[in-house]
Amino acid sequence: MTAATHSTLFPQVPDSADAVLEGLDPEQREVATALHGPVCVLAGAGTGKTRAITHRIAYGVRAGILQPSSVLAVTFTNRAAGEMRGRLRQLGAHGVQARTFHSAALRQLQYFWPKAIGGSLPRIVDRKIQLVADAAAACRIRLDRGELRDATAEIEWCKVTQTVPADYPLAAAKAGREAPRHPAEIAQLYAAYEDLKRERAVIDFEDVLLLTVAVLQDRHDIAEQVRAQYQHFVVDEYQDVSPLQQRLLELWLGDRDDLCVVGDASQTIYSFTGATPDHLLDFRTRHPRATVVKLVRDYRSTPQVVHLANGLLAQARGRAADHRLELVSQRAPGPEPVYTEYTDEPAEAEGAAHRIRELLDAGVPAAEIAILFRTNAQSETYEQALADAGIPYQLRGAERFFDRPEVRKAGIALRGAARFGGNDTLLEDAVDLPSQVRAVLSGEGWTPQPPAGSGAVRERWESLAALVNLAHDFSAARPGATLADLVSELDERANAQHAPTVQGVTLASLHSAKGLEWDVVFLVGVAEGMMPITYAKTDEQIEEERRLLYVGVTRARERLHVSWALCRSPGGRPNRRPSRFLDGLRPGSGATAARGGAGASGGVERGFGRTTSGVSAAPRRTQRVPARCRVCGRTLTDAGEMKLMRCEDCPSDMDEGLYERLRSWRALQARRNGQPAFCVFTDKTLMAIAETVPEEAGELARIPGVGMRKLNRYGTDILAICAGQDLGGDDEND
């Protein structure tokens, strides 16, 4: 690891207030030194906004202008708040509160509830959706799973916009919302939900903010006590505040204006939760004396990526677009974005997996690669493609790192070893911190070499390996650090949900990717109907979809792959077209030549072809002919039926005994590989094999779901089983 990497991970604490300002560009320095009155920072993607505001707080604290305990910095995610606390600690600004809106409100509500209301704060419900289901049953409103989820989202929107049940129909119509049921039914359901909460003496996530607002409005003595505690406020991601959060902020401030807000209207992507950029855009109207600073120097992305991002916003319309920031890349040139068109979604997933395998073989770390999609439902296809290619991955939005069972167990083991110190026999031969951690975690399943496969065993190993890597970085940055020091670092990271890097390709929705970045980003499914999403109807909704794509583009540091599929399933009608947002930006989309647009030299690929850099990809696919049922001759469109090459309800001539032998063999392979059984072969593929009973490799290769990689790996076994041979060792207890 280089000295530069060490200083990034664990930088030295600046020795003075002036040293805090070192390394800031002129605009960031202007932010850091603007410590009085209202300040509005308009910060584009990758421009170092977190750096600017944390250095601002640290400079004020180190210069003696701000008292640490009087500063409250708020943002929207635990990860962002944890990162802010970590940076402030590294800058020597101890004692500053950096929290989410909900965390700050909950802390105040718990403290003041006995005084304001009496008794203890009601329990916060873990799963709101179950309470909504109970309310629907009480109202005799039948909701399917999708309607239940959407109705829950409508109730959340009502609460953050401070809309009461009786006002919902009019408010929803005014906001252009598409209610999952008749607005009157949603209003009835909302009212029943609130009644049910009162009966059960529980509150929900949004109530934390609502009740804090109510207490501060009704009890001036409590409001003054809070204002005496906090006199300086910093709000990150200000474009995402809801009316309810804005009201809470106003109550915290009172008649003061010692407030710094940071945001980018072009990254407003949460309007469905009640977020609006109006508070950011109207800031100077509300605060005429405000200092306004624009950050446009992009330190994250190459000029090629920035050019595409600017091109997307140049076509935007609406109020947010009128205040867009033209980014200027500060990085050396990189490759042009690559645009690829595929015949169907499985081919698109296989293409991404193939390119990722090439990147991994070329030395790109898996943790520096991400696949981003519009909806979570798209994830499964890419999970399967990566598993088939033997590529480890992690799902963004899945179980949090420090909540994983293996990480909790590892923490207990490390804490125990730290308590016993040199008396622990595990540590007898461990001469430094990294070797001590390796020794302890070897007892929890860590090994120097990763296990084969990409299933649960690999995921557990990746978690432990992340802790080993963190120990190396920590020891390099703090020579002489002890195991107890590392345990303290882990505790702080757990509280902040500041997870170490897990070595796997990230799969994430565009919404959950906000605030993150990778060296290589694959933006997939960028087709009409998905981007913009089908239900985006109004101009405002369409523009938010454009901003969502902008957020996706600006996650990439160096390489960007944009792709779409002409149809959903193999053999389907190719009636899709690339997203309108790419018109004039991608090669061959008409306006590119005239505009000299971004990516003009990038080249569009069809199916699997060659990358623009000349690196060979997988062999080019020929145009698929429609798949037909081998029993009745009907055209097949369902992926499962296409694997069987027959309709689900057509008679099967499957050899049941062969199918069971194949399943037993698959279970053994899955255990050996440490991966789920479907990653070896899906049930449908095994059924197709048992029906076809292939006698040679060519026949087996023609069965959908086999493919060349699996043919090479498993073909000999499969053909032997089909020939009736006993491979041995296929017992479940093997």
Side-chain angles (χ1 to χ4, degrees), residues 354-537:
H354 179 83
R355 286 217 171 110
I356 289 170
R357 170 51 63 194
E358 289 185 333
L359 290 166
L360 296 177
D361 292 343
V364 178
E368 290 299 342
I369 304 172
I371 298 176
L372 307 182
F373 33 74
R374 175 61 180 83
T375 68
N376 288 319
Q378 294 168 270
S379 173
E380 186 177 355
T381 304
Y382 290 89
E383 291 179 59
Q384 180 69 64
L386 293 176
D388 285 348
I391 298 171
Y393 64 86
Q394 58 173 328
L395 279 172
R396 179 75 186 169
E399 186 179 36
R400 295 191 296 188
F401 181 84
F402 288 103
D403 292 338
R404 297 175 186 175
E406 66 271 18
V407 175
R408 290 202 300 268
K409 285 184 63 181
I412 293 171
L414 290 169
R415 188 170 286 104
R419 188 179 306 118
F420 286 106
N423 298 322
D424 193 320
T425 56
L426 274 173
L427 307 182
E428 287 178 353
D429 299 323
V431 297
D432 57 14
L433 177 60
S435 59
Q436 289 175 351
V437 172
R438 290 194 298 269
V440 173
L441 296 188
S442 63
E444 301 299 322
W446 178 83
T447 56
Q449 296 300 320
S454 58
V457 173
R458 177 63 183 246
E459 288 179 6
R460 286 193 294 273
W461 184 90
E462 293 284 1
S463 296
L464 298 178
L467 295 175
V468 171
N469 292 336
L470 178 64
H472 278 275
D473 295 341
F474 189 69
S475 177
R478 291 179 54 181
T482 65
L483 202 53
D485 294 330
L486 179 65
V487 168
S488 297
E489 173 72 12
L490 289 174
D491 287 341
E492 290 184 4
R493 282 173 171 260
N495 290 333
Q497 285 301 325
H498 182 195
T501 301
V502 176
Q503 288 300 318
V505 173
T506 300
L507 292 174
S509 71
L510 287 165
H511 282 101
S512 65
K514 178 78 166 60
L516 302 175
E517 58 187 75
W518 297 269
D519 285 346
V520 187
V521 168
F522 288 78
L523 285 176
V524 299
V526 189
E528 287 292 307
M530 194 60 74
M531 180 60 66
I533 199 77
T534 306
Y535 51 75
K537 304 293 187 185

Side-chain angles (χ1 to χ4, degrees), residues 21 24-36 39-41 52 56 59 260 290-295:
L21 301 177
L24 299 181
D25 68 30
E27 293 80 21
Q28 292 171 343
R29 182 180 285 258
E30 185 179 355
V31 172
T33 54
L35 294 172
H36 299 288
V39 177
C40 179
V41 183
R56 178 181 186 270
Y59 177 70
C260 174
T291 299
V292 179
V293 184
K294 293 183 179 180
L295 302 182

Side-chain angles (χ1 to χ4, degrees), residues 661 665 717 719-731:
R661 290 196 299 277
W665 168 86
D717 280 7
L719 292 173
I721 295 170
C722 289
Q725 297 178 25
D726 182 6
L727 298 183
D730 61 349
D731 184 77

Side-chain angles (χ1 to χ4, degrees), residues 228-243:
Q229 169 72 51
Y230 298 116
Q231 287 134 35
H232 189 93
F233 295 86
V234 178
V235 184
D236 193 13
E237 303 288 4
Y238 193 55
Q239 77 279 352
D240 289 333
V241 296
S242 68

Side-chain angles (χ1 to χ4, degrees), residues 43-45 47 264-269 295-296 298 305-328 542-555 580-585 595 598:
T47 57
D264 179 9
S266 296
Q267 295 188 69
T268 306
I269 58 173
L295 302 182
V296 297
D298 189 318
V305 173
V306 167
H307 197 58
L308 175 57
N310 286 337
L312 280 171
L313 293 187
Q315 301 177 0
R317 300 290 180 269
R319 193 175 183 214
D322 293 339
H323 293 80
R324 71 185 180 90
L325 299 168
E326 186 86 13
L327 299 178
V328 181
I542 295 293
E543 287 306 313
E544 180 148 340
E545 293 288 298
R546 185 193 304 277
R547 295 194 296 270
L548 189 56
L549 182 59
Y550 170 80
V551 166
V553 167
T554 55
R555 298 312 94 193
R580 72 191 73 171
F581 300 145
L582 299 178
D583 290 349
L585 300 176
R595 290 167 51 90

